[in-house]
Amino acid sequence: MLGSDEVLHSMARVNQIIENADYVSYMAKIEELEKERRYCKHGFDHGLNVARIAYSYILERGELILSKEGIYAAALLHDIGRWVEYQTGEDHAEVSARLALPLLEMCNFNSESIQIIITGIREHRRHCDSNLTPLGEALAIADNCSRACRYCTMQLQCHKFNPEMKRIVY
Ligand SMILES: [Fe+2]
Ligand SMILES: [Fe+2]
């Protein structure tokens, strides 16, 4: 049943992250810097879509590599460094991993989970055939599948687009 105490409780640390002042400020910077962007944006809705797809992908694979909360935390944090990439050119996967660390420590994920999450964030831009950790692979796949390309007017200009992306996979 949606809203049971157990479900709500299990997402407590994810809710702590999205209410954290640093997280909120990173998201605000991304929103501001993407105001004129015509390609996919990287706001809260993108993080949440990636979380839900990555979680269902991992469930379907049947390997429980991390708690649901940990998977959601990774997905919600995987692009938080985008604003730095826009300003300095530094790869946002690296920046996001760096910025995610204190947020994960703040809400008491254990060191093993933090290591898995940080590695997954670092890997999320790589090709899913390139020997990624299970979480990195789930994030990379969810990142692509989260985009509703079918009616996008930027298809022809988008370097990520291929006709396969018009189909529903997840
Ligand atoms: Fe990304
Ligand atoms: Fe992304």
Side-chain angles (χ1 to χ4, degrees):
M1 183 184 66
L2 188 66
S4 76
D5 286 342
E6 197 184 335
V7 171
L8 288 176
H9 178 71
S10 76
M11 299 302 261
R13 289 178 292 183
V14 169
N15 283 305
Q16 221 178 319
I17 289 174
I18 64 174
E19 281 166 20
N20 176 272
D22 289 332
Y23 173 85
V24 171
S25 83
Y26 303 152
M27 298 310 286
K29 286 180 201 198
I30 293 168
E31 188 178 3
E32 175 62 26
L33 289 162
E34 291 189 338
K35 231 170 24 194
E36 308 296 328
R37 184 178 166 89
R38 296 175 64 202
Y39 297 104
C40 288
K41 300 189 181 192
H42 301 86
F44 176 73
D45 56 340
H46 172 58
L48 190 56
N49 284 334
V50 172
R52 289 171 169 158
I53 297 166
Y55 180 58
S56 77
Y57 177 82
I58 287 166
L59 283 185
E60 283 177 9
R61 294 284 299 249
E63 319 163 34
L64 199 59
I65 48 169
L66 193 62
S67 64
K68 179 180 181 182
E69 208 181 18
I71 296 164
Y72 270 62
L76 287 159
L77 295 172
H78 82 279
D79 278 336
I80 51 168
R82 270 262 164 189
W83 61 278
V84 177
E85 181 171 309
Y86 293 137
Q87 291 179 342
T88 70
E90 186 180 359
D91 179 354
H92 74 265
E94 283 302 317
V95 185
S96 300
R98 197 165 66 229
L99 298 179
L101 180 61
L103 294 173
L104 294 164
E105 287 172 341
M106 171 274 296
C107 51
N108 296 317
F109 280 97
N110 66 35
S111 56
E112 192 191 341
S113 297
I114 290 177
Q115 195 49 50
I116 293 170
I117 294 169
I118 294 295
T119 304
I121 292 173
R122 251 196 208 112
E123 291 177 344
H124 86 264
R125 298 188 69 200
R126 294 186 16 210
H127 196 278
C128 44
D129 290 342
S130 56
N131 206 17
L132 305 181
T133 59
L135 182 64
E137 178 184 311
L139 291 175
I141 286 170
D143 207 13
N144 285 336
C145 292
S146 68
R147 300 311 197 177
C149 303
R150 187 170 183 84
Y151 295 107
C152 178
T153 56
M154 298 302 288
Q155 282 174 2
L156 294 180
Q157 293 98 312
C158 180
H159 75 279
K160 274 191 153 187
F161 178 75
N162 70 64
E164 189 60 24
M165 295 173 84
K166 290 168 85 170
R167 303 179 66 231
I168 295 170
V169 182
Y170 276 97

